[in-house]
């Protein structure tokens, strides 16, 4: 079987780092590139974090590109304090990793995505786990890619639960609601992996201790990085009982949609002031064919088992 071509679009970020590890640990996946986004950190820092995580995991062959540094409706990006609180000032839990031996690619992340869709078409899977700015920019520049790409599974949004930065908005959508709306109302078909399912899919220090016990550098560094994130969840929302596996769940669902139950909808994203960032069914398109599968339930035990199997095997070797 040919390996599936995968691109991650990340604002790396602790759970984005877990998304990289999941993609590298999963069988039959060819991670052909990472696009850097802004969000948890500035775009440049996210790109450097992706390079560092790839090196930690022994994959110096995967190129990292930079996408847009802010939304198209703004001329800059201000990092939210809560991002530093949850992911650490450096985005990876204040853990020191060596400076990367490699550099960011010169080509823009948006052009890399467009070229990859033209090259691989239906064989290409894209998993955005930050703002949708890069995907919206790519569709604007090359509208045909919306129907050429094989699979887009994104982490973002909240349909059946409240947002996590405002009562309405999940963080990734909140960074650029206009971009998210442009993507979800385009002809592109996608699967939404939002807070509805990611807040049910939790990791605890019991699991990170298993990585630490491996006695490898990757096992120990990832345990340190994720323990920071678990502690941040305790500080911010201590009734949850662990940290949410937002971004690696999106990769899991992209590779195996049977982890979740979805409902078919047409979605809009509000970008008026009061409900900015709300992801909701589009009452203007109730009778039209749908283009978004919204995850509403997750088989969290089976997912967690798979997650631990992939990551533990990977950390054992590094
Ligand atoms: C999402 O926001 C970011 O902080 C996380 O990396 C995740 O992608 C959760 O709302
Ligand atoms: Ca993210």
């Amino acid at each position: 079987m040919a390996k599936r071509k995968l691109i991650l679009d990340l604002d790396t970020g602790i759970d984005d780092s877990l998304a990289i590890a999941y993609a590298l640990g999963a069988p039959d996946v060819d991670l052909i590139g990472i696009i850097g986004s802004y969000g948890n950190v500035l775009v440049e820092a996210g790109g450097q974090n992706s390079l560092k995580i790839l090196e930690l995991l022994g994959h110096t062959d995967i190129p990292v590109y930079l996408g847009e540094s802010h939304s198209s409706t703004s001329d800059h990006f201000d990092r939210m304090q809560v991002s530093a609180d949850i992911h650490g000032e450096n985005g990876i839990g204040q853990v020191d990793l060596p400076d990367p031996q490699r550099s960011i690619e010169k080509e823009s992340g948006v052009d890399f995505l467009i070229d990859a869709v033209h090259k691989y078409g239906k064989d290409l899977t894209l998993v955005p786990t930050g703002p949708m700015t890069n995907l919206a920019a790519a569709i604007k520049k090359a509208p045909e890619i919306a129907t050429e790409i094989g699979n887009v599974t994104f982490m973002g949004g909240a349909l059946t639960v409240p947002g996590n930065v405002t009562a309405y908005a999940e963080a990734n959508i909140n960074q650029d609601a206009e971009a998210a709306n442009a993507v979800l109302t385009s002809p592109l078909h996608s699967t939404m992996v939002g807070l509805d399912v990611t807040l049910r899919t939790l990791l605890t220090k019991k699991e990170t201790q298993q990585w630490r016990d491996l006695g490898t550098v990757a096992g120990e560094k990832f345990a340190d990085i994720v323990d920071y994130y678990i502690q941040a969840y305790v500080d911010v929302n201590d009734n949850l009982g662990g940290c949410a596996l937002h971004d690696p769940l999106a990769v899991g669902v992209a590779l195996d949609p049977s982890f979740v139950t979805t409902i078919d909808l047409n979605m809009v994203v509000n970008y008026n002031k009061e409900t900015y960032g709300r992801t909701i069914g589009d009452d203007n398109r109730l009778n039209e064919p749908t283009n978004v599968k919204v995850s509403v339930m997750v088989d969290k035990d089976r997912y967690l088992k798979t997650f631990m199997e992939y990551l533990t095997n990977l950390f054992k070797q590094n």
Side-chain angles (χ1 to χ4, degrees):
M1 193 180 77
K3 286 187 169 185
R4 183 204 294 255
K5 305 287 176 199
L6 177 69
I7 296 176
L8 300 176
D9 182 345
L10 314 170
D11 57 330
T12 317
I14 296 179
D15 57 328
D16 304 82
S17 300
L18 291 170
I20 297 176
Y22 192 101
L24 294 177
D28 303 322
V29 173
D30 181 9
L31 180 58
I32 63 168
I34 292 177
I35 303 172
S37 192
Y38 64 93
N40 292 326
V41 285
L42 302 186
V43 69
E44 295 83 4
Q48 291 300 315
N49 285 345
S50 292
L51 285 172
K52 288 180 185 176
I53 294 291
L54 286 170
E55 284 193 16
L56 175 66
L57 298 175
H59 279 269
T60 49
D61 50 333
I62 296 163
V64 177
Y65 303 82
L66 288 195
E68 303 294 314
S69 56
H70 54 79
S71 77
S72 67
T73 54
S74 168
D75 58 7
H76 71 289
F77 166 66
D78 289 323
R79 188 188 191 204
M80 287 186 294
Q81 182 54 43
V82 66
S83 303
D85 294 344
I86 291 182
H87 297 268
E89 203 53 57
N90 70 354
I92 46 174
Q94 296 304 83
V95 171
D96 264 335
L97 293 178
D99 284 338
Q101 302 292 308
R102 295 187 299 147
S103 309
I104 299 285
E105 303 298 314
K106 293 207 166 54
E107 185 185 5
S108 85
V110 171
D111 288 341
F112 165 67
L113 174 59
I114 294 170
D115 291 347
V117 179
H118 288 156
K119 189 163 171 195
Y120 298 114
K122 295 292 173 210
D123 294 331
L124 182 67
T125 295
L126 171 72
V127 182
T129 72
M132 298 254 206
T133 313
N134 297 325
L135 179 54
I139 293 174
K140 191 167 181 201
K141 195 167 174 186
E144 70 283 358
I145 68 163
T147 50
E148 285 176 9
I149 192 164
N151 178 335
V152 174
T153 301
F154 65 94
M155 192 283 136
L159 181 70
T160 61
V161 295
N164 58 357
V165 288
T166 70
Y168 294 104
E170 179 281 328
N172 289 337
I173 304 292
N174 187 63
Q175 303 289 10
D176 193 348
E178 288 86 345
N181 188 56
V183 169
L184 296 186
T185 58
S186 80
L188 180 117
H189 284 249
S190 64
T191 299
M192 172 169 140
V193 178
L195 299 177
D196 313 86
V197 285
T198 65
L199 286 177
R200 293 187 167 116
T201 311
L202 306 173
L203 201 76
T204 68
K205 289 195 178 172
K206 184 176 142 245
E207 285 84 22
T208 57
Q209 186 60 43
Q210 292 175 25
W211 299 342
R212 206 180 288 290
D213 291 345
L214 294 171
T216 62
V217 178
E220 193 181 307
K221 293 291 184 189
F222 260 89
D224 288 347
I225 292 169
V226 178
D227 279 354
Y228 185 100
Y229 187 57
I230 292 172
Q231 188 56 46
Y233 264 80
V234 172
D235 296 344
V236 173
N237 188 358
D238 73 350
N239 57 6
L240 211 57
C243 69
L245 294 176
H246 303 290
D247 297 351
L249 181 60
V251 181
V253 172
L255 302 179
D256 180 357
S258 73
F259 282 129
V260 289
T261 306
T262 58
I263 54 176
D264 291 343
L265 282 177
N266 288 310
M267 300 284 285
V268 286
V269 183
N270 298 163
Y271 49 87
N272 58 315
K273 203 160 180 244
E274 192 201 339
T275 57
Y276 190 89
R278 182 188 192 197
T279 45
I280 188 79
D282 186 353
D283 57 357
N284 286 319
R285 294 187 293 148
L286 288 176
N287 295 315
E288 291 179 22
T290 59
N291 70 333
V292 187
K293 291 189 175 301
V294 181
S295 308
V296 288
M297 289 300 287
V298 56
D299 186 346
K300 61 176 191 293
D301 294 338
R302 187 165 66 86
Y303 174 78
L304 192 63
K305 194 162 168 276
T306 308
F307 171 91
M308 285 304 287
E309 183 188 314
Y310 290 177
L311 273 72
T312 306
N313 277 336
L314 184 68
F315 297 162
K316 240 186 229 164
Q317 300 159 32
N318 292 284

